[in-house]
């Protein structure tokens, strides 16, 4: 046991000496007078036997000697080079979250904001409802009004009458599309219970909301609500799909958002391409303008919420037979996703029927066009017949009509 302890002491002492020699103190001592006398002494090759108490003291002191050598080494290194500055790691550095919400988060957010809007209706205070809409840029196509509302005062006026109906909305089918980090489209079906408590009437309708982050609040920049068209005779009720949310857009190089004025010609040109496709009477050509990966389509004369390209083509198989030709009469544009998408909403009139017996149909529209590669695709389309003018009210003033889309035999 004594021999083993002696070997341990020897190894620890050699380790301490190695650490000490590695420090800048050793060269200083080598040049001192004391160093000369040390070198003149013969090197001992044995270790004197010591008692157990001395061994314990040596074992306790050896790590301290090693640590002392390291301290000398670190303290002298400052004279040879600058002290290394602390650079915080990525984990230490806070940066604002830039990732897009997940599908679950986006759908939860959309439904929470819808609940806030629905709760505001229960207050019966029109101003409380209206303040949830954007004050700076607004496109509102209400359920029971033929107007395209763009002002907060007119929004407040609309809800003065609507809240008297004691409305309560319940979403029955919905879909969320993330437009960018600060806006999303929420579209689908809802049912409103209207009337007095003992005489409630359900009204099935369709909705398109575009919610936008304004400061720390979510505001409605666009709202299109329309009564759900009746089920065509002989057809079965549409199957509802599970709610879905669009995957987060990939992060792209940031660029300045085009102004609505700059995007309006693009929007009208894309509408012309869509209208030209109708003139081909080829439903596949029309359907080819819609997104194949993420779609929310609420057609004019169908009760379905179409989310598949095949169903889009089926819808247009019947619609193109009506010989439709559309003309925009009022429109507005909101730009999203740094110019890679936009909302185009307003009013259009369709001429339907044979050449010698054309019938005009006034309608409202909401398109969300998205850039897919080098092409513009329709990610959302909500079209509804324009409600009749309420009795006793004057017709709403119309803005200057947009340029009429010329018929063309070519596909977009």
């Amino acid at each position: 046991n004594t021999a083993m302890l002696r070997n341990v002491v020897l190894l620890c002492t050699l380790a301490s000496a190695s650490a000490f020699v590695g420090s800048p103190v050793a060269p200083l001592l080598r040049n001192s007078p004391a160093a000369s006398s040390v070198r003149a002494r013969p090197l001992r090759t044995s270790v004197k036997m010591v008692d157990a108490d001395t061994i314990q003291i040596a074992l306790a002191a050896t790590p301290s000697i090693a640590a002392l050598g390291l301290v000398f080494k670190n303290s002298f290194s400052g004279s040879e080079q600058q002290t290394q500055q602390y650079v915080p790691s990525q984990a230490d550095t806070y940066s604002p979250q830039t990732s897009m919400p997940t599908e679950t988060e986006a759908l939860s957010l959309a439904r929470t904001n819808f609940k806030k809007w629905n709760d505001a209706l229960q207050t019966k205070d029109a101003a409380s409802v209206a303040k949830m809409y954007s004050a700076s840029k607004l496109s509102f196509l209400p359920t029971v009004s033929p107007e395209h509302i763009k002002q907060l005062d007119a929004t407040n006026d609309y809800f003065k009458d609507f809240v008297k109906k004691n409305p309560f909305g319940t979403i029955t089918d919905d879909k969320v599309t993330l437009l960018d980090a600060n806006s999303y489209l929420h579209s689908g079906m809802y049912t409103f219970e209207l009337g007095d408590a003992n005489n409630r009437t359900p009204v099935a309708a369709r909705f398109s909301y575009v919610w936008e982050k304004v400061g720390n609040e979510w505001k409605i920049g666009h709202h299109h609500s329309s009564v759900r068209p009746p089920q065509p005779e002989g057809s079965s009720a549409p199957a509802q799909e599970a709610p879905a949310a669009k995957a987060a857009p990939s992060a792209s190089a940031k660029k300045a958002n085009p102004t609505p004025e700059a995007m309006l010609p693009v929007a009208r040109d894309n509408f012309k391409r869509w209208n030209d496709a109708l003139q081909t009477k080829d439903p596949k050509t029309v359907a080819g303008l819609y997104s194949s990966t993420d779609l929310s389509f609420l057609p004019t004369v169908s009760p379905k919420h179409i989310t598949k390209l095949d169903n889009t083509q089926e819808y247009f198989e019947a619609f193109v037979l009506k010989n439709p030709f559309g003309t925009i009469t009022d429109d507005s544009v909101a730009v999203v996703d740094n110019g890679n998408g936009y909302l185009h909403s307003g009013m259009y009139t369709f001429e339907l029927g044979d050449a010698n017996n054309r019938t005009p149909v006034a309608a409202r529209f909401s398109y969300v066009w998205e850039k897919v590669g080098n092409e513009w695709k329709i990610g959302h389309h909500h079209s509804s017949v324009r409600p009749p003018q309420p009795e006793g009210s004057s017709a709403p003033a119309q803005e200057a009509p947009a340029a009429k889309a010329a018929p063309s035999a070519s596909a977009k």
Side-chain angles (χ1 to χ4, degrees):
N1 291 339
T2 302
M4 182 178 68
L5 290 173
R6 184 174 60 208
N7 291 336
V8 170
V9 171
L10 176 61
L11 291 174
C12 291
T13 304
L14 290 174
S16 299
S18 175
F20 183 76
V21 170
S23 74
V25 179
L28 297 177
L29 293 178
R30 290 192 196 103
N31 297 326
S32 66
S36 302
S37 62
V38 172
R39 285 193 293 269
R41 296 173 185 172
L43 179 66
R44 295 183 182 274
T45 58
S46 63
V47 179
K48 183 180 179 179
M49 296 296 294
V50 292
D51 56 24
D53 292 338
T54 305
I55 291 173
Q56 290 178 1
I57 294 171
L59 286 172
T62 299
S64 300
I65 297 172
L68 181 62
L70 293 174
V71 168
F72 274 119
K73 181 175 181 180
N74 292 335
S75 62
F76 273 80
S77 64
S79 61
E80 299 174 1
Q81 60 185 12
Q82 293 291 331
T83 303
Q84 184 178 4
Q85 296 295 320
Y86 170 70
V87 178
S89 66
Q90 186 176 3
D92 298 326
T93 306
Y94 171 79
S95 59
Q97 184 175 348
T98 57
S99 60
M100 300 290 287
T102 64
E103 293 184 1
T104 303
E105 290 170 342
L107 195 57
S108 176
L109 171 64
R111 290 174 175 174
T112 297
N113 280 334
F114 174 80
K115 183 179 184 300
K116 290 179 181 178
W117 178 83
N118 196 44
D119 288 346
L121 290 176
Q122 311 316 306
T123 68
K124 306 295 188 293
D125 179 15
S128 295
V129 186
K131 74 178 184 180
M132 302 195 71
Y133 290 74
S134 174
S136 58
K137 51 179 180 179
L138 178 61
S139 169
F140 182 23
L141 300 166
T143 316
V144 292
S145 170
E147 299 186 38
H148 184 194
I149 296 174
K150 303 177 186 178
Q151 303 296 330
L152 219 50
D153 289 345
T155 303
N156 187 59
D157 290 341
Y158 172 79
F159 282 112
K160 285 179 180 178
D161 290 329
F162 189 68
V163 295
K164 294 177 182 177
K165 303 177 188 291
N166 300 317
F168 185 87
T170 302
I171 293 175
T172 57
D173 174 50
D174 62 345
K175 181 181 179 67
V176 173
T177 301
L178 299 172
L179 302 178
D180 56 32
N182 295 308
S183 62
Y184 64 86
L185 165 72
H186 190 198
S187 58
M189 312 280 196
Y190 49 14
T191 297
F192 272 95
E193 295 286 337
L194 305 175
D196 296 332
N198 57 352
N199 189 26
R200 303 286 277 172
T201 302
V203 177
R206 297 97 57 83
F207 67 86
S208 303
Y209 292 93
V210 172
W211 290 80
E212 303 166 334
K213 197 73 173 288
V214 180
N216 293 321
E217 293 185 296
W218 285 99
K219 297 288 187 181
I220 301 170
H222 173 65
H223 184 192
H224 183 170
S225 183
S226 63
V227 174
R228 188 177 181 185
Q231 187 72 26
E233 293 183 6
S235 64
S236 58
Q240 299 296 332
E241 298 188 7
K246 182 182 177 182
S250 59
S252 56
K254 294 293 182 182
K255 58 182 180 179
N257 247 13
T259 64
E261 293 76 15
M263 189 62 81
L264 190 57
V266 176
R268 290 175 176 174
D269 182 64
N270 278 334
F271 174 81
K272 181 180 183 301
R273 292 172 56 233
W274 178 82
N275 197 45
D276 288 348
L278 290 177
Q279 312 315 307
T280 68
K281 307 294 188 292
D282 180 10
K284 187 174 182 180
T285 299
V286 186
L289 290 170
Y290 289 74
S291 173
S292 61
T293 57
D294 186 74
L295 178 61
S296 169
F297 182 23
L298 300 166
T300 316
V301 292
S302 170
K304 298 182 182 181
H305 183 195
I306 296 175
T307 58
K308 301 293 184 184
L309 214 54
D310 290 345
N311 300 130
T312 302
Q313 182 172 326
E314 289 173 4
Y315 172 79
F316 283 112
E317 285 175 0
F319 189 70
V320 296
L321 298 178
K322 302 177 187 292
N323 300 316
F325 183 85
T327 302
I328 293 175
T329 57
D330 175 49
D331 62 345
S332 63
V333 169
V335 183
V336 297
D337 193 22
N338 300 305
N340 292 313
Y342 64 85
L343 164 72
H344 190 199
S345 58
M347 312 279 198
Y348 49 15
T349 297
F350 272 94
E351 297 284 339
L352 304 175
D354 296 332
N356 57 352
N357 189 25
R358 302 287 278 171
T359 301
V361 176
R364 295 101 55 85
F365 67 86
S366 302
Y367 293 94
V368 172
W369 290 79
E370 303 165 331
K371 202 70 173 290
V372 180
N374 294 321
E375 292 185 294
W376 286 102
K377 295 288 186 180
I378 300 169
H380 173 66
H381 184 193
H382 183 171
S383 183
S384 63
V385 173
R386 189 177 180 187
Q389 189 69 29
E391 293 182 7
S393 64
S394 59
Q398 292 297 323
E399 299 184 4
K404 185 175 181 179
S408 170
S410 61
K412 312 194 250 299

